[in-house]
Amino acid sequence: METEKPMLDRAVIDALFPADLPEPRHWEARFPARTLPEGARVTRFGPSPTGFLHIGAVYTAMIDKDVATHSGGVYVLRVEDTDTAREVEGALEQFGRAFEYFRIQPDEQQGHGDYGPYHQSARAEIYASYVRELMRQDRAYPCFATKEELADITARQQAAKIPTGYYSRWAIWRDADPSDVQAKLDAGAPYVVRFRAPEITTQRISYVDAIRGRLEHEANRNDVVILKSSDTSPRLPTYHFAHAVDDHLMRVNLVIRSEEWLSSVPLHLQLFEALEFEPITYAHIAPLMKQISGGKRKLSKRKDPEASVDFYISAGYPADAVLYYLRGLANGSLGELPLAQALTTAIDLDKCGVAGPLVDLVKLEDISADLIATLPGADILTAMRSWATEFDAELVPVLDTERELALRALAVEREGVDNPRKDLRKWSDFRPAYGFFFADLFTPLSGPDDERLASLSLPAGVITDFLADFAAGYQQLDDQPEWFNQIRELAAKHGFAANAKEYKKNPEGYPGSIREASQLIRIALTGSTRSPDLHAITVALGAEEVLRRLRSVAG
Ligand code: GLU
């Protein structure tokens, strides 16, 4: 008969932990099962505070919140800060800001909820209770392997062309003699705690993912680290262990997380089993992708500015446009509904694809332009002012003091027309598209040599004479064609061709055509060769400001 492997004494194990460390049953009672309606989903979002919030994180959090809310459940924010080395100051504020912007604030988070603490770094005692319990049951053990020893194991495995890892006979502390363990402990050697992977009975395991259906994977055989080294303080668990304990004690029943964790499921199922926790349903979300020449790849934090949540917030994409777009990526059918309906219709995990959807900024901008085109001017100003307080401080007093002008400017070709202008895709588009309306944001032309006039190739004398004459007889007429006639008549008087065709026939005979004449006025009034309807602009500006701008060129 095979002899039983000698186990570490319970007293030896218990001496590794504080004497007053609660038993798991204490935590089980402290965090009881939730009373929720049948079918309610408790979801959580577990970002790590690394200072970079990926748009994919907002995507996942949005799905978390949506599924919880529509099922009458709870959506928890748990900050996964066990990797203190990667932590960045201000990261939590960044989450707060992004969650507020995209209206994905959690139902429970640090300082709010009965299942906390919600920061993993504040849960060391809870994890320790469960680590001790696993050790007492010999499902976990202390491992004193040094970095050099681990590197040597990997090298030998590579040389032998077998899978690398800390498992079976390679796991040098898995079946160590208790006296060797005691000697290391007595010497104060640092150690990690490893999970004792079950002896492999079947090579593959199978489970059902809420998005992908039934999946099969090779079973885990690695004795993974569950508690980091004893020479670190605070002594924290690894992600694998922490998430299992937290999801169980926070009474989460649906883990929605990114696809990168798919390969860890076999380990996670073993951990749940060893900890005697009810298994939890997993839903692994396909990553957001980017089109590149010859294919697609994951949206990359390093290469793609649009991977960062800050990109959307600082450019001022309205949250509704981004959310509508993201919801369409999650469930194609939502992208076909009108925006308001798509924002309130539940996301269905069954309809989430397994291939990563492409993030197409052009499409997002179209959605955003369509949305902004439907907003009343006053709503645009409110949203834009709130954006500008953080991202364009100079714009705020302008919007405040020139509110009426801003409303008139926004009304140009937007109000009372069938096809409203769609030149605002994000709030940062306002200044380039509408800034010229405001005296404080517009630099009048310096004179006929101003380079903004260069593309017209008109002699300086023609420019000054024409504009001076236009200013002298200027009438702010209500009727567009009548108003435009002033330009037409003046252009003829100053020798411009009546139309482009005539001008083309005899370019030497004219300084330009009516086109160049009206462009001259457009540039004098707006600084640009492209603008909304000139007459409408002059109505918004008022005659006084029109004249000021004309005279700045003509002297
Ligand atoms: N902290 C993990 C991450 O940022 C969370 C994974 C999970 O949701 O379980 O990827």
Side-chain angles (χ1 to χ4, degrees), residues 19 135 156 168 173 190 199 205 238 278 337 343 355 362 385 400 428 437 450 475 543 555:
M135 290 179 81
R156 284 189 287 136
S168 58
W173 287 92
E199 300 291 344
I205 55 121
T238 55
E278 289 243 324
L337 296 177
L343 292 184
V362 174
R385 189 187 185 286
D400 288 348
S428 52
F437 279 99
D450 192 295
Q475 290 187 57

Side-chain angles (χ1 to χ4, degrees), residues 44-48 78 80 239 243 247 255-258 260-261:
R44 90 299 188 274
F45 176 57
S48 301
R78 179 172 73 226
E80 307 214 322
Y239 163 75
H243 106 281
D247 285 342
V255 169
I256 300 173
R257 63 182 178 186
S258 96
E260 68 185 284
W261 298 106

